[in-house]
């Protein structure tokens, strides 16, 4: 069974930094694109950042210049470095990845369980 597990969430003061990690494990043949989404209270889940197999990255306008997404293919892990955090960044952050699996043979996008990020003084 393929699964994604996020870590690194927590409470941080405005202007602070936080680094999220998401590790994929299971019957993985290969991983395509990876990304981060978030869902704030009372709002829909939204894209934060994505990174395909290449060097291209994509960010939501609200986080551009403050967040950095990266990946370590050897560790099947994607990271989200968050700087200059604002109260508006408070949300549950979810990892997402397109994964080719071999048991059973398939390709689909998987979601992590989410990790809470709270920005408050």
């Amino acid at each position: 069974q393929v699964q994604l597990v996020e870590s690194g969430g927590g409470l941080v003061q405005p202007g602070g930094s936080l680094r999220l990690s998401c590790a994929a494990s299971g019957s993985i043949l290969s991983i395509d694109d990876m990304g981060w989404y978030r869902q704030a209270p009372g709002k829909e889940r939204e894209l934060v950042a994505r990174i395909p197999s290449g060097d291209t990255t994509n960010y939501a306008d609200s986080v551009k210049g403050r967040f950095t997404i990266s990946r370590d293919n050897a560790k099947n892990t994607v990271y989200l470095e968050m700087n200059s955090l604002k109260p508006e960044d408070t949300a549950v952050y979810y990892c997402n990845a397109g994964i080719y699996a071999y048991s059973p043979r398939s390709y689909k996008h998987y979601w992590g369980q989410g990790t809470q990020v709270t920005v408050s003084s």
Side-chain angles (χ1 to χ4, degrees):
Q1 183 71 37
V2 173
Q3 66 174 355
L4 304 177
V5 179
E6 302 102 331
S7 62
L11 175 65
V12 64
Q13 295 183 352
S17 299
L18 210 58
R19 191 189 194 211
L20 306 183
S21 299
C22 172
S25 62
S27 55
I28 300 171
L29 280 173
S30 62
I31 301 178
D32 188 12
D33 60 307
M34 305 185 81
W36 290 94
Y37 293 73
R38 68 186 181 187
Q39 187 167 19
K43 298 183 179 180
E44 297 297 317
R45 189 173 300 186
E46 65 177 358
L47 172 69
V48 176
R50 293 201 66 79
I51 180 169
S53 297
D55 294 329
T56 302
T57 57
N58 185 41
Y59 298 92
D61 290 339
S62 60
V63 308
K64 194 171 299 182
R66 299 188 297 120
F67 291 10
T68 301
I69 188 171
S70 62
R71 62 191 289 173
D72 185 334
N73 292 330
K75 297 181 179 179
N76 290 335
T77 300
V78 62
Y79 306 93
L80 185 67
E81 185 73 37
M82 304 183 292
N83 301 308
S84 302
L85 283 162
K86 306 175 180 179
E88 307 92 270
D89 295 318
T90 296
V92 177
Y93 284 70
Y94 297 91
C95 177
N96 178 266
I99 298 176
Y100 295 87
Y102 59 80
S103 184
R105 190 181 305 165
S106 64
Y107 175 80
K108 63 180 288 185
H109 279 83
Y110 293 82
W111 291 97
Q113 82 288 345
T115 184
Q116 177 70 47
V117 172
T118 302
V119 184
S120 176
S121 60

